[in-house]
Amino acid sequence: MRAETQTIVDEIKQAISLLRRHFDWDQAVKRLEYLNVRAEDASLWNDPAEAQKLMRERQNLEDGIGAVKGLTQALEDNIGLIELGEEEDDGSVVADAEAALRSMLGEVKARQVETLLSGEADANDTYLEIHAGAGGTESQDWASMLLRMYTRWAERRRFKVEVLEVHEGEEAGIKSATVLIKGHNAYGWLKTESGVHRLVRISPYDSNARRHTSFASAWVYPVIDDSIVIDIPESEVRIDTYRSSGSGGQHVNTTDSAVRITHIPTGIAVACQAERSQHKNRAKAWEMLRSRLYEEELKRREAAANATEATKSDIGWGHQIRSYVLQPYQLVKDLRTGVESTSPSNVLDGDLDDFMEASLSQRIEGSSGQPVADLD
């Protein structure tokens, strides 16, 4: 086996070993066996909430254990093919197996990052808000581009995207939007995307074709389930109703069905206009507000745990996290991790995983004081 190929094999073996350690393999296998038995017990559903919790745990264990077993088997198979190809002097067999191993290395590294999504709400669905910065049409157009970028990213992962609220710009783009992204680990993946995004380009709205800099903000917070109780006294909120804006059928702009709820102590405001019913929009807005306040609590806990980390001050709402330059050169650069892409068109079409993985890894390293590869 060539030295380069042996290095890839060693890296895959090490990564698989780390995945097994992360799962606490023997205990995970026993736990899955127990959950499989429980799933066959009809009395489990006497408590639907507990049943759903156990079934989610079972599915997660099945996915994780199955992935590790599949990677282990694929590694053995490809090593066997290389040995066979070398014995029979069949270069094509060796080349195919080596290509499969290179692909496996990328997959196993992605799995390692997935194991880092073990935070309290990482597995949950998530809300994503986009807000245009100052600058009128330029920033509003940039905000709509960001919304499209995250929508495309979600679609690549086969997540479901529901638009809850959109405020259209006067000439183009959007002033703000709120979407619900549904999928396993949606919040875990997106949580590091909160912050200010900067765009540099030749403006399509400037007749003199001058270069413009625009800003827009992303804000991510998790959907919380019924097991998490967030008590908000009605005396602490202000509820406003208004007419929905944008397209949406014959009843849009004819009734005050849209709802905005403002939490007075924190100033946090959420809005929903997805439904024609004010009652349904109000219920959804309450869910969103509880989620925002829960996310604030998660941030406070993380800030306390990382109070000594110098990098912490550069992460969060109000801080620029990424720059997208379309002219005079093409470059997307994450200002926290240094990760770059010279293909802004791919990034704006949803190719965000490299940025997310690096930011997530950095976040985990910052809270643990050890490199990602050493986590178990």
Side-chain angles (χ1 to χ4, degrees):
M1 186 180 297
R2 294 189 305 130
E4 179 185 351
T5 304
Q6 184 62 57
T7 298
I8 293 174
V9 168
D10 291 342
E11 287 187 42
I12 293 173
K13 285 181 176 178
Q14 182 184 24
I16 291 175
S17 177
L18 290 170
L19 287 173
R20 290 173 65 95
R21 286 167 57 196
H22 172 83
F23 280 116
D24 191 359
W25 186 261
D26 292 340
Q27 292 301 316
V29 171
K30 290 179 181 178
R31 179 64 176 171
L32 180 57
E33 291 174 353
Y34 166 76
L35 292 175
N36 285 336
V37 172
R38 289 284 287 130
E40 299 297 325
D41 185 352
S43 66
L44 172 66
W45 292 95
N46 291 341
D47 184 346
E50 180 65 16
Q52 290 177 2
K53 179 180 177 181
L54 289 178
M55 294 304 284
R56 282 196 299 269
E57 181 186 359
R58 176 179 177 236
Q59 186 62 55
N60 290 341
L61 282 174
E62 278 187 344
D63 292 346
I65 291 173
V68 172
K69 286 182 175 179
L71 288 167
T72 302
Q73 186 61 56
L75 177 60
E76 294 175 357
D77 291 346
N78 283 297
I79 290 175
L81 284 172
I82 290 175
E83 292 172 348
L84 179 63
E86 289 176 342
E87 287 175 6
E88 299 184 356
D89 197 25
D90 190 335
S92 62
V93 170
V94 173
D96 288 346
E98 288 178 339
L101 287 173
R102 287 192 292 271
S103 178
M104 275 187 66
L105 182 59
E107 181 183 351
V108 77
K109 286 185 176 180
R111 282 280 174 182
Q112 277 187 277
V113 176
E114 288 261 5
T115 64
L116 301 177
L117 302 177
S118 56
E120 189 172 326
D122 283 355
N124 294 20
D125 300 336
T126 191
Y127 296 109
L128 167 68
E129 291 183 12
I130 302 293
H131 296 273
T137 301
E138 288 290 336
S139 292
Q140 290 166 16
D141 187 49
W142 173 221
S144 68
M145 292 168 66
L146 272 186
L147 178 60
R148 176 185 178 276
M149 178 181 77
Y150 286 117
T151 300
R152 289 295 182 89
W153 171 83
E155 291 170 347
R156 286 180 177 215
R157 287 190 165 267
R158 298 183 181 177
F159 289 169
K160 183 178 180 181
V161 180
E162 295 181 9
V163 178
L164 301 180
E165 177 265 345
V166 176
H167 282 180
E168 304 285 350
E170 283 89 357
E171 296 181 31
I174 58 173
K175 294 180 179 178
S176 66
T178 304
V179 297
L180 170 60
I181 300 178
K182 295 182 176 181
H184 182 60
N185 284 334
Y187 174 67
W189 279 111
L190 276 168
K191 66 184 180 183
T192 61
E193 291 296 295
S194 289
V196 175
H197 298 249
R198 170 177 173 262
L199 174 70
V200 179
R201 65 171 176 175
I202 301 297
S203 171
Y205 304 101
D206 187 334
S207 58
N208 294 317
R210 290 173 294 189
R211 190 171 61 181
H212 284 248
T213 299
S214 306
F215 296 90
S217 305
W219 184 248
V220 180
Y221 51 102
V223 175
I224 58 175
D225 56 34
D226 294 337
S227 65
I228 301 172
V229 179
I230 305 293
D231 185 27
I232 308 172
E234 291 204 21
S235 60
E236 293 186 354
V237 304
R238 183 178 70 250
I239 301 177
D240 301 305
T241 58
Y242 58 96
R243 292 185 179 180
S244 299
S245 62
S247 58
Q250 60 181 342
H251 296 295
V252 169
N253 291 324
T254 63
T255 60
D256 292 342
S257 60
V259 176
R260 178 184 296 107
I261 302 180
T262 304
H263 186 242
I264 297 171
T266 62
I268 290 174
V270 297
C272 183
Q273 63 178 38
E275 306 288 345
R276 291 181 177 178
S277 162
Q278 183 186 122
H279 175 74
K280 290 181 179 179
N281 283 331
R282 183 185 295 251
K284 177 61 72 174
W286 271 108
E287 289 178 14
M288 293 165 64
L289 180 58
R290 291 188 180 93
S291 294
R292 279 290 300 272
L293 292 176
Y294 175 65
E295 196 268 347
E296 286 292 312
E297 175 60 25
L298 291 179
K299 283 178 60 181
R300 280 194 291 270
R301 292 182 199 171
E302 182 182 354
N306 294 280
T308 60
E309 295 295 331
T311 57
K312 183 59 188 171
S313 62
D314 293 328
I315 301 175
W317 179 253
H319 296 278
Q320 185 177 323
I321 64 170
R322 195 173 299 137
S323 179
Y324 308 71
V325 181
L326 305 187
Q327 282 99 11
Y329 54 89
Q330 295 204 330
L331 180 69
V332 179
K333 182 173 182 178
D334 195 289
L335 304 181
R336 302 160 300 175
T337 64
V339 171
E340 298 181 351
S341 170
T342 54
S343 180
S345 60
N346 288 345
V347 174
L348 293 172
D349 203 36
D351 187 8
L352 293 168
D353 284 357
D354 287 347
F355 294 99
M356 292 180 177
E357 288 176 11
S359 187
L360 179 62
S361 298
Q362 183 188 70
R363 194 165 178 166
I364 297 297
E365 288 171 10
S367 63
S368 67
Q370 57 182 326
V372 173
D374 291 340
L375 291 177
D376 53 24

